Amino acid sequence: MRTAPFASLRSLFVITDEQAMWRVQTQDDETAFAQLVRRWEGPIQRLCLRMTGDLHRGEDLAQEAFTRVFAKRKEYQPSGKFSTWLWRIALNLCYDELRRRQRREETSLDGMCGEAMAALEAFVAPEPAPDKSLVEQERSELVRKALMQLTETYRTVLVMRHYEDLKFREIADVLDVPEGTVKSRMAEALTQMNRILKPILAVESAKNSMKSDGQTVESVML
Amino acid sequence: MNHPSREEWMSYLYDELNADQSANLQAHLHTCPDCKSKVNEWQAARSGLDEWRVPKRRGRVVLAQPMVKWAAAAAIVLSIGVGIGRLTSAPLDVQQVRAAIEPEMRQELRREFAQLFRDQLDKSASTTLAASTEQTRQLLAEFARAVEAKRTEDYQAINAALDKLQSQRLADFFSLKKDVDTMAVLTESGFRRAQQQLVQLADYTQPANSSNSPQH
């Protein structure tokens, strides 16, 4: 009971994102910038990871996003929400990365042998948390791959609404499209996801139940 | 029937409607199998998405505040350097360069991956082997120890039994000897007495048959 008054008192001194960004913009305030990084590095890392499907690349991109925020601090419009601006910067970095990756695949990797590609894929796959069971890991990996099959447009709304819990209104502001468009993209994205996931997750469940019944996996695959 | 739009269903699924709107859509779901099956599909996709869990962030984005200025300065110097380099050097034929280095790179990559794979395999095989050898050794040692202990125990038991037998025999022997000695002594005294009696008998003379003849 005694901490509550202090908590509310402390909240008076906590500056908003916009105030912090204003300090960064006008005074190159490093403390304010560090505060912004602390607040937002988690969500931005997750966004980049989900968009690229790559844990390490996601971390690098998040770092790059904050570097860009600092570099472009003079361009920030104080009338808008800081988070909207930040999401947009991070998303654009993700799009650039995905495009670079696509170009690389089209040009230089097409002749690579399957063995090396498999090894590369194993490196790219995100590290699972150590406490997860094998079945959970497999399913998690299936969903990651399914999400990577969607186009960027659909993946973006899924990641921002489903995983990062932004409201449709906020997503519309970040993407600069009408709210209705975000919602219809979301519906389409969910429909496509269901189409991709339904058969593979069903097979996966059947496989696991068969394994527990002591029968062979091959019979299911046939 | 007037069906709610996909957009409205999205707001419903992600809890972005007020209580009244939400209740209306909920009621519609109960009466409309078409909408229900659509919503079920979206729900299935949503629970599928929930299965992709990512590890907790490791907080790699750490910008030490005094370093920001230095980093910015370094970036500027670096970009100036790169710019000058670009401007002064001859334009590169990217295709040519790629053609030149691509086979080599591929070869190199393939070799490295193969090497990596081999190394991993070797490592895991040797660790498995070492572990099993160690276990076998431990089991063997334990077995040897158990056998040794059992044998010692047996030896002790046999020794004890033999000792007991030996002492029993000695005791028997002594008691027998004592008995024999006693018997010998007794026999000897018996002999003496008999001899004495014989001597007495020999010395015995018929007393004169005069005085106390009862017939007379």
Side-chain angles (χ1 to χ4, degrees):
Chain A
M1 288 305 283
R2 285 183 62 201
T3 54
F6 287 112
S8 61
L9 198 66
R10 211 168 39 237
S11 73
L12 286 177
F13 294 100
V14 173
I15 56 169
T16 63
D17 292 335
E18 286 70 30
Q19 287 168 330
M21 192 58 213
W22 181 78
R23 284 189 196 172
V24 174
Q25 194 174 31
T26 54
Q27 302 153 30
D28 291 356
D29 188 339
E30 288 149 6
T31 321
F33 185 65
Q35 211 162 10
L36 287 173
V37 172
R38 260 204 307 282
R39 275 183 207 168
W40 286 98
E41 64 177 324
I44 295 298
Q45 273 179 6
R46 283 200 304 268
L47 173 85
C48 298
L49 155 61
R50 304 263 193 204
M51 283 306 291
T52 58
D54 180 345
L55 176 67
H56 302 292
R57 203 65 201 106
E59 285 174 352
D60 293 344
L61 284 173
Q63 185 134 21
E64 223 173 303
F66 285 108
T67 313
R68 196 167 282 195
V69 164
F70 194 78
K72 290 187 164 189
R73 62 193 181 281
K74 302 290 177 203
E75 291 172 35
Y76 169 66
Q77 300 293 322
S79 54
K81 246 179 112 177
F82 168 74
S83 59
T84 306
W85 188 59
L86 176 61
W87 286 119
R88 202 176 291 155
I89 288 177
L91 262 184
N92 283 331
L93 282 171
C94 291
Y95 293 156
D96 290 346
E97 162 71 15
L98 290 169
R99 236 150 270 154
R100 263 200 306 275
R101 195 186 284 176
Q102 205 176 0
R103 261 205 308 277
R104 263 205 312 273
E105 275 171 12
E106 277 169 9
T107 54
S108 62
L109 288 182
D110 50 1
M112 225 161 141
C113 62
E115 181 194 1
M117 274 307 280
L120 205 66
E121 181 65 23
F123 280 125
V124 166
E127 289 169 8
D131 53 342
K132 275 203 289 181
S133 77
L134 212 62
V135 178
E136 274 181 314
Q137 279 176 33
E138 272 173 29
R139 291 175 75 90
S140 174
E141 179 59 12
L142 285 174
V143 176
R144 182 186 75 89
K145 282 185 177 151
L147 201 63
M148 294 310 286
Q149 285 178 40
L150 296 191
T151 58
E152 282 167 18
T153 316
Y154 294 132
R155 188 154 71 244
T156 305
V157 287
L158 268 190
V159 169
M160 295 188 101
R161 177 60 264 208
H162 190 86
Y163 291 119
E164 287 315 312
D165 208 21
L166 268 76
K167 300 274 176 250
F168 287 118
R169 179 70 254 154
E170 292 176 280
I171 302 174
D173 287 340
V174 173
L175 301 179
D176 209 12
V177 294
E179 197 178 338
T181 309
V182 179
K183 287 181 188 170
S184 55
R185 281 182 192 172
M186 188 71 189
E188 182 55 35
L190 283 179
T191 307
Q192 288 189 15
M193 255 335 248
N194 184 50
R195 204 177 302 142
I196 302 172
L197 281 179
K198 206 171 171 180
I200 52 178
L201 286 185
V203 166
E204 190 67 14
S205 312
K207 218 158 68 174
N208 290 324
S209 65
M210 283 304 221
K211 268 184 202 163
S212 62
D213 288 343
Q215 295 182 19
T216 54
V217 181
E218 285 75 26
S219 62
V220 186
M221 303 306 283
L222 289 172
Chain B
M1 199 185 287
N2 200 11
H3 299 288
S5 65
R6 300 201 303 172
E7 287 78 354
E8 279 174 281
W9 282 124
M10 287 302 115
S11 301
Y12 169 79
L13 283 175
Y14 282 96
D15 232 358
E16 284 196 36
L17 293 176
N18 62 37
D20 284 350
Q21 293 168 318
S22 193
N24 281 342
L25 266 74
Q26 179 85 44
H28 180 86
L29 266 191
H30 287 306
T31 57
C32 176
D34 288 354
C35 285
K36 187 157 181 57
S37 90
K38 262 196 302 188
V39 169
N40 281 347
E41 274 181 22
W42 289 326
Q43 284 284 29
R46 269 156 52 93
S47 41
L49 286 171
D50 284 337
E51 297 206 35
W52 181 19
R53 298 190 196 95
V54 296
K56 290 242 170 0
R57 73 190 173 85
R58 292 183 284 181
R60 246 184 58 186
V61 183
V62 179
L63 296 176
Q65 295 114 41
M67 299 305 278
V68 174
K69 274 183 184 168
W70 287 108
I76 290 167
V77 170
L78 212 66
S79 54
I80 288 172
V82 169
I84 291 172
R86 277 262 169 121
L87 286 175
T88 50
S89 66
L92 274 174
D93 187 350
V94 179
Q95 290 294 335
Q96 211 176 358
V97 170
R98 212 180 69 191
I101 62 171
E102 204 177 85
E104 212 171 312
M105 291 277 285
R106 269 189 210 165
Q107 201 61 36
E108 187 69 22
L109 258 177
R110 209 169 294 161
R111 244 201 324 273
E112 254 172 56
F113 279 127
Q115 184 61 38
L116 202 75
F117 181 70
R118 260 203 305 278
D119 285 355
Q120 286 289 340
L121 203 68
D122 280 358
K123 217 166 73 184
S124 65
S126 62
T127 38
T128 317
L129 213 65
S132 67
T133 315
E134 178 62 22
Q135 204 173 4
T136 316
R137 222 167 48 81
Q138 270 175 9
L139 281 173
L140 268 177
E142 220 165 279
F143 181 69
R145 263 203 304 280
V147 166
E148 187 60 31
K150 190 78 192 143
R151 221 167 50 188
T152 323
E153 212 172 282
D154 285 354
Y155 266 135
Q156 276 168 355
I158 290 170
N159 274 343
L162 282 176
D163 282 356
K164 215 168 123 191
L165 273 177
Q166 179 79 6
S167 61
Q168 185 71 39
R169 222 181 55 199
L170 275 175
D172 285 355
F173 175 72
F174 281 127
S175 76
L176 197 68
K177 194 163 176 270
K178 215 167 82 187
D179 285 353
V180 169
D181 283 356
T182 318
M183 207 175 75
V185 169
L186 284 180
T187 316
E188 204 179 335
S189 68
F191 276 146
R192 277 222 194 99
R193 217 173 313 132
Q195 203 180 13
Q196 226 165 27
Q197 279 170 353
L198 275 175
V199 170
Q200 267 174 9
L201 198 66
D203 286 349
Y204 186 75
T205 50
Q206 190 80 28
N209 45 4
S210 54
S211 60
N212 54 353
S213 167
Q215 298 101 324
H216 298 288

